[in-house]
Amino acid sequence: APLSQIKPYFAPTPLADNEGKKRSEPPAVQETIDFLGLQAHIEGGYYVETDRDPLNVANPFINNKDPGTSYAVSEADVTSAIRLSAGQDHSTRAASTTIYYYITPGSPLGCFHRNRGRTVHTLHRGRGIYVLIHADEVLRGDRAAENNKARIETFVVGHDIAHGERLQWIVEGGKFKASFLLPDTESRDRQSEGLLISETVVPGFEFADHDFMRSETLDELLKPEEVEELKWLLRE
Ligand code: GUN
C-alpha cells in the first residue's frame, strides 16, 4: 500500500461518549464481541487472551544490549528502549501467548506500539492496512539509513490473495506497528464487519515488553512529511 493510501476510512471514535455509554457497533460486530468474550484493548479495538503456555522459558530479552528491544533503566532511555516495570520477576516468560484481536467500525484503529517478542498474525475475517516502522534497524545502525530515518512498510491484510492481500504476517520484535480497518469492498457502501485476527507472541506477552509510540519518537524516526501522513495513528 502506498503512503497516499494511509488514511482513515472509518472515523476513529472515542472509547465512550459524553454520557459514558459504550461505543456502539453494528449488531453483527457486537455479536462477535459477545460470542468471543472480547474486551476493549488499550491500543484500540478489542481482544481476549485465549492461550498462555504454562511452560515458562528464560526471558531472552533480559540482558539484551540492543536499544530497540532492551529495558530502559531511566526515563531518559524510554524513546529507544522499553520501560522495566518494578516489582515484577522478569527472569522468565510464558513460552507463548495467543489472543483474538478485532478492530471494528466503532474502534477502527490499533495505534502505534511495539513489543519485544515476535508476533505471528493470522486473518480470520475482514480487511485492513498494517503500517510498520522499522525502528530497530535505525537503533542498531543496521542499514545505511539516510539521515538516520526509519524504513516504513505497509501492506493490506485480507482474503484477496490474487491481489497480494495477506492471510498471515509476522512482525519481528522491536518494530512499531499500527493497523486500521478497510471496507470489505471498495464498491457498495463501504461496510465492514471488522478485521478479526489471531496473534501469537513468542515469548508470551507482558506489559513490560510493550510500549506505545510517542510523538517525539515518531519525529525522530521519520521525515517531516511522513510524520504528517502517519501521526493520526498515534495514541491520543
Ligand atoms: N493484555 C493487554 N494487551 C495484551 C496483548 O496484546 N496480548 C496479551 N496476551 N495480553 C494483553
Side-chain angles (χ1 to χ4, degrees), residues 119-124 130 132 155-158 166-171 177 179 195-199:
T119 304
V120 178
H121 305 70
T122 306
L123 179 68
H124 301 301
Y130 268 71
L132 304 184
F155 50 90
V156 176
V157 305
R166 299 203 201 171
L167 299 172
Q168 289 183 338
W169 57 105
I170 314 295
V171 177
K177 171 180 89 178
S179 60
L195 172 67
L196 177 65
I197 69 170
S198 282
E199 295 190 31

Side-chain angles (χ1 to χ4, degrees), residues 21 23-24 47 62 94 121 140 144 161 165-166 185 216:
K21 283 188 308 207
R23 58 197 159 192
S24 69
Y47 85 110
I62 197 73
H121 305 70
R140 266 199 296 270
I161 55 174
E165 296 183 358
R166 299 203 201 171
T185 58
E216 299 83 357

Side-chain angles (χ1 to χ4, degrees), residues 136-211:
D136 56 318
E137 297 174 346
V138 172
L139 294 165
R140 266 199 296 270
D142 261 12
R143 60 194 271 278
E146 44 172 313
N147 306 321
N148 223 30
K149 296 300 178 190
R151 185 163 65 90
I152 302 168
E153 182 185 357
T154 69
F155 50 90
V156 176
V157 305
H159 293 272
D160 191 357
I161 55 174
H163 290 96
E165 296 183 358
R166 299 203 201 171
L167 299 172
Q168 289 183 338
W169 57 105
I170 314 295
V171 177
E172 299 295 339
K175 301 182 188 292
F176 286 103
K177 171 180 89 178
S179 60
F180 62 96
L181 189 62
L182 287 180
D184 289 331
T185 58
E186 298 297 340
S187 55
R188 289 194 311 174
D189 45 358
R190 291 188 158 186
Q191 297 291 359
S192 172
E193 294 196 349
L195 172 67
L196 177 65
I197 69 170
S198 282
E199 295 190 31
T200 296
V201 189
V202 179
F205 179 88
E206 290 292 339
F207 272 111
D209 298 332
H210 171 286
D211 69 340

Side-chain angles (χ1 to χ4, degrees), residues 17-89:
D17 70 18
N18 312 349
E19 284 120 37
K21 283 188 308 207
K22 269 178 66 180
R23 58 197 159 192
S24 69
E25 298 287 357
V29 170
Q30 189 59 51
E31 274 185 12
T32 299
I33 292 168
D34 295 342
F35 282 140
L36 296 178
L38 306 182
Q39 55 186 286
H41 198 292
I42 48 168
E43 293 156 11
Y46 303 84
Y47 85 110
V48 65
E49 190 177 280
T50 52
D51 181 66
R52 177 165 288 264
D53 194 331
L55 173 70
N56 285 325
V57 296
N59 182 348
F61 310 124
I62 197 73
N63 289 316
N64 203 331
K65 298 293 188 292
D66 176 351
T69 54
S70 68
Y71 298 91
V73 288
S74 71
E75 202 52 38
D77 294 335
V78 166
T79 54
S80 60
I82 300 173
R83 195 182 281 97
L84 185 60
S85 58
Q88 201 186 335
D89 175 13

